[in-house]
Amino acid sequence: MIQQSAVHSHVTQLTQEIQQHSQPLRRIMGQINQVLVGQEKLVHRMLIGLLANGHILIEGVPGLAKTTAVSSLAKTINTGFQRLQFTPDLLPADLIGTLVYHPQDQTFVVQKGPIFSNLILADEINRAPAKVQSALLEAMQERQVTIGSETYPLDQPFLVMATQNPVEQEGTYQLPEAQTDRFMLKVMVDYPSRNEELQILRRMSKTSAKFEVSSVTSPEEIMAARELVDQIYVDEKVENYVVDLVMATRTPEAYGLQLGELIQFGGSPRATIYLTMAAKANAFLAGRGYVTPQDVKDIALDVLRHRVMITYEAEAEDRTSESIVNEILDHIPTP
């Protein structure tokens, strides 16, 4: 009883702090919504990635303002930003940097690449060949880059937000599973509704249409918010719910789901970690010091859709990883 009272007191105090420290995030949303129309979910997911220190993969057909969304987010934070346009002829050195020889004093000097920044927009990442995609792996996972024999840490916060066109488009390379698993979230961007399209028409159908966002927060405020996200309370029942969801992608029969022939690989322990961290960030954005099962449910599809590998049988039945994850979410009882 004493322990429950202590937890309640901690959560109450934390909620008050969160409501104070979430103001910069609300200012960010306000600035971006001045530029974007109908992309509230994308903006919300980008903020979750920022708070939970997780990279984001954004997929959608060209022209849906994916690049605009990421660049607008970067401008609202007074921090370093680099946009990398991935192309088939890009080299790893173009990304991470290289050693340059100075003949005057016969020495090699490190020339750092654009990856040495805080927010990285990897635009059309699936247009780059495998060597360049793999060059991102160490930076994304280890927050460091190796040039020659030296290893250089990257500044914090460090966040990669990559955009890609669907793999059916010409001139693209499908991202390997090891690469996609490094992304905390995979967000699908769809076409706007009719009303939203009408707003876009009225706002943007001018040759002089240009919208600027202002810098409304700093890296220090983002790092302070992250510290609060780490303290958010997760009840044991919610923890078990997260584990059950991920385990059901590996051994669906154990949960009464007839999906074994449709799933080739399920979510790894990284999925469990990321789902919990993203749920905490979702609670933070809602102004709460505790995670609810709905926080987990709201974010689960974006965490799991690129971690559930389907079989040929699933493809033959026109099943997708999304439909399988949704079936698991509907089946596993919510605490």
Side-chain angles (χ1 to χ4, degrees):
M1 203 60 188
I2 296 174
Q3 188 176 2
Q4 285 184 341
S5 176
V7 168
H8 183 267
S9 175
H10 169 72
V11 168
T12 303
Q13 182 182 352
L14 188 59
T15 298
Q16 292 173 352
E17 289 186 51
I18 285 172
Q19 288 171 354
Q20 179 185 348
H21 282 80
S22 61
Q23 292 299 324
L25 282 301
R26 292 196 184 92
R27 293 198 296 268
I28 289 174
M29 293 179 83
Q31 286 290 319
I32 296 177
N33 287 335
Q34 291 179 18
V35 178
L36 293 184
V37 175
Q39 297 290 7
E40 288 83 2
K41 180 185 173 184
L42 174 58
V43 175
H44 183 264
R45 297 305 191 256
M46 289 194 305
L47 293 179
I48 283 180
L50 192 63
L51 288 168
N53 198 20
H55 310 294
I56 305 170
L57 181 61
I58 305 166
E59 182 174 303
V61 296
L64 296 181
K66 302 184 297 294
T67 303
T68 304
V70 178
S71 59
S72 297
L73 173 64
K75 289 173 185 173
T76 63
I77 305 169
N78 187 20
T79 189
F81 170 65
Q82 286 284 353
R83 175 184 173 180
L84 308 174
Q85 185 67 49
F86 280 55
T87 56
D89 60 349
L90 201 69
L91 297 173
D94 297 328
L95 182 69
I96 63 172
T98 187
L99 292 171
V100 177
Y101 181 67
H102 281 194
Q104 297 90 341
D105 47 9
Q106 297 183 348
T107 58
F108 285 93
V109 177
V110 172
Q111 183 173 334
K112 292 182 177 180
I115 196 74
F116 287 89
S117 191
N118 298 103
L119 295 183
I120 305 296
L121 168 55
D123 214 358
E124 296 190 286
I125 188 174
N126 58 332
R127 292 201 180 277
K131 279 187 177 181
V132 177
Q133 292 177 5
S134 62
L136 270 177
L137 283 178
E138 183 186 16
M140 289 172 62
Q141 186 63 26
E142 306 297 335
R143 293 337 198 247
Q144 63 183 26
V145 167
T146 302
I147 303 174
S149 59
E150 293 292 321
T151 300
Y152 302 89
L154 296 165
D155 294 335
Q156 290 294 333
F158 175 74
L159 187 66
V160 173
M161 285 179 275
T163 68
Q164 71 170 4
N165 297 330
V167 292
E168 291 81 15
Q169 301 283 328
E170 289 185 16
T172 61
Y173 302 80
Q174 188 164 2
L175 294 179
E177 287 79 5
Q179 179 85 22
T180 56
D181 197 45
R182 258 62 176 192
F183 290 98
M184 173 180 278
L185 306 173
K186 181 179 180 182
V187 184
M188 308 299 290
V189 181
D190 207 351
Y191 290 110
S193 67
R194 189 185 187 283
N195 286 338
E196 290 165 350
E197 192 93 14
L198 194 58
Q199 286 184 54
I200 293 169
L201 181 153
R202 290 170 176 167
R203 185 184 291 191
M204 302 300 293
S205 59
K206 303 170 188 172
T207 56
S208 59
K210 189 177 182 183
F211 295 91
E212 292 294 332
V213 295
S214 303
S215 175
V216 293
T217 188
S218 65
E220 291 74 25
E221 286 185 305
I222 298 299
M223 299 305 287
R226 282 184 179 180
E227 289 182 14
L228 287 177
V229 170
D230 287 340
Q231 297 176 40
I232 288 177
Y233 175 70
V234 185
D235 190 79
E236 188 177 345
K237 290 180 181 177
V238 178
E239 289 177 337
N240 283 314
Y241 180 54
V242 170
V243 172
D244 284 338
L245 287 176
V246 177
M247 292 296 291
T249 67
R250 301 178 207 164
T251 54
E253 296 84 0
Y255 293 88
L257 287 157
Q258 303 304 313
L259 299 172
E261 293 183 356
L262 305 180
I263 299 175
Q264 186 175 9
F265 299 109
S268 68
R270 188 181 279 140
T272 308
I273 296 166
Y274 281 168
L275 184 50
T276 307
M277 291 167 64
K280 284 183 174 184
N282 198 37
F284 180 95
L285 290 173
R288 280 185 276 102
Y290 58 93
V291 173
T292 66
Q294 193 60 45
D295 287 321
V296 177
K297 212 165 187 176
D298 286 347
I299 204 72
L301 182 59
D302 292 328
V303 174
L304 295 174
R305 63 158 49 99
H306 55 300
R307 294 187 162 86
V308 175
M309 302 295 124
I310 60 174
T311 61
Y312 290 117
E313 288 86 347
E315 292 180 12
E317 294 180 20
D318 285 333
R319 295 296 299 271
T320 63
S321 61
E322 287 190 23
S323 68
I324 290 170
V325 172
N326 279 323
E327 188 172 336
I328 291 171
L329 287 169
D330 292 339
H331 184 80
I332 302 295
T334 305

